[in-house]
Amino acid sequence: MNSTLSMGGISVFVIYFIIVALYGYYVYKKKSKVNDSKNFFLAEGSLTWWAIGASIIASNISAEQFIGMSGEGFFAGIAVAVYEWLGAAVLILVAVFFMPVYIKNKIYTMPQFLKNRYNGSVALIMSVFWIFLYVFINLTSILYLGALAINGLIGGDYFHIVMICLAVFAIIITLGGMRVIGYTDVIQVGVLIIGGLATTYMTLTIVGEKFGVGSEAIAGFKVLLREAPEHFHLMLAKPKPGASQVDINKYLILPAVGMYAAGQWISNLNYWGCNQYITQRALGADLQTARTGILFASLLKILMPVIVMLPGIIAYVLYKGGHLQLTGGKDSAYSAILSLLPPELKGLAAAALTAAIVASLAGKCNSISTIFTLDIYKKHINTLSSEQRMVWTGRIAIVISMVVAVLFTWNDLLGIGRAGGYTFVQKYTSYISPGVFATFILGMFWKRTNSIAAFTGIIFGFVISVFFNEFAVKVFGPETILYTAFPNMDGIYEIPFFICLSWSFIITVLVMVGTSILGPRINPKAFELDAEMFKLKPSSIVLIVSIMLLLIAIYARFW
């Protein structure tokens, strides 16, 4: 089928763009206090639970998922859905245990948490860490994968033009502030889910037709189970001697028990609980609204693999059966699937993909500007800055961060295409996750943790992560009591990065505990906790039980 959009498809896409733009302008003019920094950066007190939940998912689901996770679904199958389904469970923990600590202590940014709990030096170090991470890992990967997918959908060689258009669209939305982002994200998530489900449904019917079992989606899904049974296991076995390179490569990114034992939990808890552009949606709300919004996001999260992972398995089965061509590597799987859609539905699919990309870019840009303005500019550059100047500083930070990301993405200077988009983001984020999460979790729930331990944990956690990922095999060999390394596609022995993350976290925690024991028994800057903070209303309990039952049913079926 021709991959270009028809006039009908273009019309659907244009209608989506106009609706989002007009609604964003309405929110900006009628609801936003644009000269108030807390309203601009946090939409303080104005987001409803459904807006918080939708905005969290909109910021999370982006090109990394649509393109990267579909690519990993093509390669490794349903095991990659652990990111989504374990993420849903982790969001429950964040809603129940993390948000009360943040909201009771009036925390608006993650560096502010570090300053209040430890000191300004720890907060400044992490502010710089986060800005570099968001610009050079998150923004670049979203721009690269998003431009790659949409270019493949429209046909031709428009990669750089698409990239610029995505960046400009995201900047326009972000300049309106957090309230505009939060409420336009409701539309973005609606388009994302409707377009994503429609894409999955239609491609399943195509699978059924291609394999001669009818045009029903259920029949198409049964074909997937029959033709690719190895793609429907949530647990990938550790490679045995003589294993194929394909099986080894799968294990390197999704290392079976080692992934579930610690690595995935640490990665998810750090991402969902200690991440500015995720928690920012809820930090301006009261506790119950924040909790309900996060639990709503958890419920939506369970649905996401159907939208962002299953198309990859569909692409694999069609490719294996000779019914689909891939013009590139695994990250081209989603674009290839979209090329099979009817012309009008391509417009909806393009709108869904663009909604995910733009919402995530806007969320990350807003977090970059929030951290820079509130935690660097206001505290270290211009302490007497007016509210209006802070808002404009935030806007300038938005534009500069996006320009830098575009420049580094232009010729893929960071090698996103070679690494595989989703793995690229997860691996390099895991370099700072152990130290950051150890610093947050001990800071919240162990009063003895002190600022020296926090400083040591952040730096040591990063250094030990780099050591495990880059140098451990060279120093200790391919197998020790802590890990087993396997040769990657270049023949270089590599430890699965989730194993590296696990050991880095455990060792970092031990170092921080040892450092804290040398200090006072109770840190005077420790947060006060009480049982009342963690009590749940019946509506929250019902939501949590429903989510857990759904997750148990899924794991019972595919384990």
Side-chain angles (χ1 to χ4, degrees):
M1 286 181 128
N2 194 317
S3 63
T4 57
L5 289 171
S6 67
M7 284 305 298
I10 293 172
S11 298
V12 172
F13 183 81
V14 169
I15 290 169
Y16 147 75
F17 177 86
I18 292 172
I19 290 174
V20 172
L22 289 178
Y23 185 60
Y25 183 74
Y26 166 78
V27 173
Y28 176 77
K29 294 296 289 184
K30 298 294 184 182
K31 296 178 177 290
S32 295
K33 299 176 183 178
V34 294
N35 290 326
D36 182 331
S37 63
K38 284 187 178 179
N39 273 283
F40 180 80
F41 295 113
L42 298 161
E44 188 176 17
S46 66
L47 294 184
T48 59
W49 64 265
W50 45 268
I52 290 171
S55 190
I56 287 173
I57 294 300
S59 292
N60 168 242
I61 301 298
S62 183
E64 299 165 26
Q65 276 75 19
F66 268 103
I67 311 308
M69 189 169 281
S70 287
E72 298 298 359
F74 178 92
F75 176 61
I78 199 174
V80 75
V82 64
Y83 287 103
E84 306 299 306
W85 290 329
L86 202 62
V90 163
L91 278 167
I92 295 174
L93 298 178
V94 172
V96 174
F97 297 108
F98 285 38
M99 292 313 298
V101 178
Y102 290 145
I103 290 175
K104 181 176 180 179
N105 292 281
K106 295 181 170 57
I107 300 299
Y108 297 115
T109 71
M110 297 300 96
Q112 182 199 354
F113 171 93
L114 297 172
K115 182 179 184 298
N116 291 1
R117 179 60 179 83
Y118 300 114
N119 59 37
S121 298
V122 174
L124 181 60
I125 289 170
M126 276 313 306
S127 296
V128 174
F129 257 120
W130 271 312
I131 288 174
F132 271 84
L133 176 70
Y134 292 159
V135 173
F136 293 104
I137 301 298
N138 294 119
L139 288 184
T140 55
S141 62
I142 295 168
L143 282 170
Y144 177 84
L145 294 172
L148 187 72
I150 294 176
N151 181 66
L153 181 60
I154 64 178
D157 186 16
Y158 303 108
F159 177 83
H160 294 105
I161 295 174
V162 170
M163 185 195 306
I164 292 172
C165 290
L166 289 172
V168 171
F169 191 9
I171 287 173
I172 291 171
I173 290 177
T174 315
L175 291 178
M178 188 66 233
R179 197 172 312 206
V180 173
I181 294 170
Y183 281 105
T184 55
D185 277 351
V186 176
I187 298 176
Q188 308 274 41
V189 162
V191 174
L192 184 160
I193 291 175
I194 293 169
L197 288 176
T199 299
T200 301
Y201 177 83
M202 284 299 300
T203 49
L204 281 173
T205 65
I206 291 170
V207 169
E209 291 171 356
K210 296 290 186 183
F211 283 84
V213 296
S215 58
E216 296 294 325
I218 296 297
F221 185 73
K222 289 179 179 178
V223 170
L224 302 186
L225 294 172
R226 184 189 74 204
E227 297 294 322
E230 74 285 357
H231 273 53
F232 285 91
H233 296 293
L234 281 165
M235 177 74 76
L236 299 180
K238 187 175 181 179
K240 296 179 180 178
S244 69
Q245 188 61 52
V246 171
D247 287 338
I248 290 173
N249 290 344
K250 289 179 181 179
Y251 182 77
L252 287 173
I253 62 172
L254 298 164
V257 176
M259 175 176 66
Y260 282 93
Q264 267 285 355
W265 287 98
I266 297 163
S267 176
N268 269 286
L269 282 164
N270 177 67
Y271 178 85
W272 294 107
C274 314
N275 192 334
Q276 179 69 29
Y277 78 88
I278 294 298
T279 57
Q280 188 165 342
R281 274 99 185 110
L283 291 178
D286 63 84
L287 179 56
Q288 186 57 31
T289 302
R291 267 187 175 151
T292 306
I294 293 171
L295 292 175
F296 177 52
S298 174
L299 200 58
L300 291 176
K301 194 74 175 157
I302 296 175
L303 181 64
M304 290 303 111
V306 177
I307 295 171
V308 299
M309 178 276 300
L310 195 56
I313 301 179
I314 293 170
Y316 173 79
V317 170
L318 290 173
Y319 174 77
K320 178 183 172 184
H323 303 294
L324 184 70
Q325 291 184 337
L326 264 65
T327 55
K330 60 187 179 183
D331 281 342
S332 66
Y334 195 77
S335 296
I337 278 292
L338 296 185
S339 71
L340 300 175
L341 298 177
E344 286 71 24
L345 192 54
K346 286 179 188 174
L348 182 59
L353 187 56
T354 305
I357 295 164
V358 170
S360 197
L361 286 173
K364 287 174 177 65
C365 279
N366 183 261
S367 293
I368 291 166
S369 70
T370 301
I371 290 173
F372 176 78
T373 305
L374 300 185
D375 297 299
I376 296 179
Y377 179 79
K378 176 66 173 176
K379 289 184 172 61
H380 301 281
I381 298 175
N382 185 356
T383 57
L384 300 177
S385 176
S386 66
E387 291 288 300
Q388 187 173 13
R389 181 177 290 274
M390 287 170 64
V391 170
W392 278 104
T393 299
R395 286 174 171 155
I396 292 168
I398 289 164
V399 175
I400 291 175
S401 63
M402 189 66 82
V403 169
V404 171
V406 168
L407 291 175
F408 273 81
T409 311
W410 198 259
N411 292 314
D412 192 17
L413 296 179
L414 301 174
I416 301 167
R418 174 171 171 73
Y422 202 71
T423 299
F424 171 85
V425 174
Q426 298 302 324
K427 179 174 181 178
Y428 290 104
T429 301
S430 75
Y431 280 35
I432 71 165
S433 295
V436 174
F437 182 59
T439 301
F440 269 79
I441 198 72
L442 290 176
M444 286 184 191
F445 302 111
W446 192 41
K447 292 186 176 183
R448 195 159 183 167
T449 315
N450 56 42
S451 57
I452 296 174
F455 181 85
T456 303
I458 289 170
I459 302 301
F460 180 80
F462 176 73
V463 171
I464 196 70
S465 294
V466 172
F467 174 78
F468 267 113
N469 279 281
E470 307 294 342
F471 302 106
V473 174
K474 298 174 185 176
V475 175
F476 298 118
E479 188 167 2
T480 72
I481 193 173
L482 300 182
Y483 65 79
T484 300
F486 294 91
N488 61 24
M489 64 183 72
D490 296 320
I492 300 171
Y493 275 82
E494 180 180 335
I495 308 167
F497 66 85
F498 274 122
I499 304 296
C500 297
L501 193 158
S502 301
W503 285 117
S504 298
F505 174 75
I506 292 168
I507 295 170
T508 300
V509 167
L510 292 175
V511 169
M512 288 184 65
V513 168
T515 306
S516 296
I517 286 174
L518 299 177
R521 186 173 296 276
I522 296 179
N523 187 332
K525 298 193 77 172
F527 294 141
E528 290 297 325
L529 305 179
D530 60 74
E532 288 296 319
M533 295 167 57
F534 306 107
K535 282 188 176 180
L536 298 172
K537 291 190 175 181
S539 58
S540 297
I541 294 172
V542 170
L543 261 176
I544 290 169
V545 171
S546 301
I547 293 164
M548 291 307 300
L549 288 175
L550 281 170
L551 290 173
I552 290 169
I554 290 168
Y555 272 82
R557 172 62 181 83
F558 293 110
W559 187 262

